[in-house]
Amino acid sequence: MQEVIEHIREIKAREEKSLNDENEAIIDVIYYGKINLSKNDAELNNQTVEELYLVKKEVEGRTVQEFHTSNGVIATVGEEGQIEICEKYKQLINSNEFLLQLRDVMPLSLEKLEEEERKKLESTEIKSKKQIKVKEDKAEKEQYIENSKDAIINLDKKITETKTFRELVPELKEKGIVDVRVRRVDNTRFEFIGINNAGEIVRLESLEQTEGTNPNEDIIKVNEDGSSVEKEKTMTMLKIKPGENEQNSNEGFAITLGKYGIPEVSYYRRAKETDEYTSIPVNLKNTNQKNTDLEVRRYMEKSRNVTVDDNIKRANSEIEQSEDEGTTLDNIDDNPYNDTLTDEEEIMIQKAASRCKVSIESFKEELEKVNGETLKERIEATEEEINEQYIGNRERI
């Protein structure tokens, strides 16, 4: 087809040169394909096959139409659309057969041919780009291979009071990551591996190595139930880069090597004043690790503790003073009401919860939000708050 287009362009250029007046112009050149030209002597061996073109041009204010072959103009089109064979070809071309063939032809103008060729080239280019992209994608995308030593993050378990791993690292949702593993790279380094629905590895770009290859940082680590608070050295730290979560550079994940060679993962926050760290466990699917208690998760909740400076200071002080006895969560966080209750106080709370017709856990959550010098005052304030909420809900109904 490209050869035909080039030939039509040559005809158009040649015809434009033959024009005598600047007001004359070539309107179009139309391709009719190949036709059989036979003489009037009825001898079959006298047939020839020619490429046929119709040249339309503006001459002296009127439209002139001429049929061209390699021999030049062989016929013209009259004002009423009648086709007339040129005088010198009347004996060489059978006009009836010529006209019959024209009825079966679908002529294409140069403009139409150029448009089709352009579409074909664009289609080929798009197809080529797609093939290249597919090849690049295949080259880039690597299938995850199961490894029993990889830690499997529980993406749906709350790490803090309000946020899961998915919510702390919004990149998971953006990239369609449905599974996250933690793998030991070498003696001192670990990495997070994102996996999509196709089982392909997806790079987690919002988790960035910090504090050097082997930070060897002292982190104040609180265990799952808050019964132990101690300083522990970590092997790898990855901060959450700025994004949805405010002050992301002050939070991230610390990793050490746990039992049976499976990594242990903790969520950390950094004190702005002292550059010290505190952390709590991140629940894994493939270990016997206990679920992290609510009080421990609250200890790291940003909405409750905008900074963790005070928590870390208190922890350092308690650890130094209680080296032999050990330190617990109860007296190091910034919640003055989470100390262990006596049996009598626990009974007071249970009775108040019963009067309000709510669970003990729900009552305790509301209890933390009110002020009061004594537990009794706070219980009374909590009952009033819950009853007001109940009346408000009924009025809305």
Side-chain angles (χ1 to χ4, degrees):
M1 187 58 71
Q2 189 60 40
E3 290 181 6
V4 172
I5 292 173
E6 291 301 326
H7 195 186
I8 294 174
R9 287 172 179 163
E10 288 174 8
I11 293 171
K12 185 178 180 182
R14 186 179 68 228
E15 290 299 312
E16 284 175 339
K17 284 183 180 179
S18 68
L19 298 175
N20 298 317
D21 193 297
E22 60 180 17
N23 293 322
E24 296 179 353
I26 302 299
I27 299 171
D28 202 356
V29 180
I30 300 171
Y31 179 58
Y32 274 72
K34 293 182 179 180
I35 64 167
N36 289 315
L37 298 179
S38 59
K39 294 181 181 179
N40 289 321
D41 57 13
E43 293 184 18
L44 294 177
N45 60 348
N46 286 329
Q47 288 184 347
T48 59
V49 178
E50 292 280 351
E51 300 259 357
L52 184 67
Y53 304 89
L54 177 65
V55 177
K56 288 185 179 181
K57 51 189 172 181
E58 191 75 23
V59 178
E60 296 179 353
R62 64 189 182 88
T63 300
V64 174
Q65 299 184 70
E66 301 170 341
F67 281 104
H68 288 236
T69 66
S70 59
N71 295 316
V73 181
I74 63 168
T76 60
V77 181
E79 292 181 1
E80 297 181 2
Q82 74 277 16
I83 296 174
E84 299 176 0
I85 305 296
C86 292
E87 190 65 33
K88 69 176 181 178
Y89 290 107
K90 282 184 177 179
Q91 296 302 316
L92 301 175
I93 297 175
N94 186 307
S95 58
N96 290 332
E97 290 183 8
F98 179 72
L99 293 174
L100 284 171
Q101 288 182 79
L102 292 185
R103 292 178 185 176
D104 299 327
V105 172
M106 180 64 73
L108 293 169
S109 68
L110 174 59
E111 183 181 354
K112 183 68 176 176
L113 286 168
E114 286 177 331
E115 183 184 346
E116 287 189 358
E117 188 67 14
R118 184 169 57 253
K119 286 181 179 178
K120 184 180 176 182
L121 288 171
E122 286 174 356
S123 176
T124 303
E125 186 178 346
I126 290 170
K127 187 177 179 181
S128 176
K129 285 181 178 177
K130 283 182 178 178
Q131 288 173 341
I132 291 169
K133 190 175 186 308
V134 168
K135 287 179 181 177
E136 287 176 347
D137 288 346
K138 285 182 178 177
E140 289 175 10
K141 289 178 179 176
E142 177 187 353
Q143 287 288 321
Y144 171 76
I145 299 173
E146 201 71 38
N147 187 326
S148 62
K149 297 294 184 183
D150 288 350
I152 305 173
I153 300 291
N154 193 328
L155 302 181
D156 300 311
K157 281 281 186 185
K158 289 279 195 297
I159 293 175
T160 68
E161 183 181 8
T162 60
K163 291 190 176 181
T164 63
F165 191 95
R166 293 181 195 277
E167 292 157 331
L168 287 168
V169 188
E171 186 181 7
L172 269 63
K173 184 177 180 181
E174 294 165 8
K175 293 186 175 180
I177 295 170
V178 297
D179 196 355
V180 176
R181 310 291 174 97
V182 180
R183 175 174 294 179
R184 187 181 186 184
V185 179
D186 54 36
N187 290 336
T188 59
R189 290 187 303 121
F190 297 82
E191 65 177 355
F192 281 90
I193 301 171
I195 306 168
N196 62 18
N197 270 320
E200 298 163 338
I201 292 176
V202 182
R203 178 177 167 76
L204 284 167
E205 295 177 337
S206 61
L207 296 179
E208 183 181 78
Q209 183 90 31
T210 185
E211 306 300 336
T213 304
N214 180 14
N216 204 29
E217 281 283 346
D218 278 333
I219 291 185
I220 294 169
K221 186 172 182 179
V222 182
N223 70 348
E224 291 89 343
D225 60 7
S227 61
S228 172
V229 178
E230 58 186 359
K231 285 190 176 180
E232 180 180 87
K233 290 193 181 298
T234 186
M235 298 175 74
T236 294
M237 293 177 70
L238 294 102
K239 68 180 179 181
I240 305 172
K241 289 164 65 176
E244 180 180 299
N245 300 293
E246 58 181 319
Q247 301 300 326
N248 275 350
S249 58
N250 293 317
E251 65 180 327
F253 299 97
I255 307 168
T256 58
L257 193 61
K259 292 180 180 179
Y260 312 113
I262 297 175
E264 287 183 356
V265 185
S266 299
Y267 166 66
Y268 77 75
R269 286 182 62 195
R270 180 175 66 88
K272 294 180 183 179
E273 293 179 5
T274 61
D275 279 341
E276 293 181 284
Y277 300 84
T278 184
S279 72
I280 60 173
V282 171
N283 286 119
L284 306 176
K285 286 185 175 181
N286 58 332
T287 66
N288 295 323
Q289 174 188 3
K290 296 176 183 177
N291 290 334
T292 306
D293 284 357
L294 179 61
E295 286 297 337
V296 176
R297 290 188 279 115
R298 285 175 176 166
Y299 163 75
M300 290 291 274
E301 177 58 45
K302 279 185 172 184
S303 61
R304 292 175 180 270
N305 311 297
V306 179
T307 69
V308 291
D309 298 69
D310 291 340
N311 287 350
I312 292 173
K313 287 175 185 175
R314 281 194 291 268
N316 279 326
S317 176
E318 284 288 327
I319 290 169
E320 287 173 10
Q321 293 175 22
S322 313
E323 250 181 77
D324 298 330
E325 299 173 13
T327 306
T328 63
L329 175 65
D330 290 344
N331 295 314
I332 71 164
D333 66 8
D334 57 0
N335 179 3
Y337 305 121
N338 69 346
D339 296 342
T340 304
L341 297 168
T342 66
D343 290 342
E344 185 180 345
E345 290 170 329
E346 187 69 44
I347 292 169
M348 288 170 62
I349 292 172
Q350 289 175 6
K351 286 181 178 180
S354 178
R355 287 194 296 272
C356 294
K357 296 181 180 179
V358 297
S359 68
I360 296 170
E361 181 65 25
S362 298
F363 190 90
K364 285 183 177 179
E365 286 185 11
E366 293 299 322
L367 186 67
E368 289 183 9
K369 300 175 185 177
V370 300
N371 297 319
E373 293 184 6
T374 66
L375 179 61
K376 184 179 178 182
E377 288 178 2
R378 291 175 47 241
I379 287 175
E380 289 173 355
T382 302
E383 285 191 74
E384 288 179 13
E385 178 64 28
I386 291 174
N387 289 331
E388 284 178 9
Q389 290 176 10
Y390 176 73
I391 292 169
N393 290 336
R394 287 197 63 184
E395 287 175 349
R396 282 194 290 274
I397 293 170

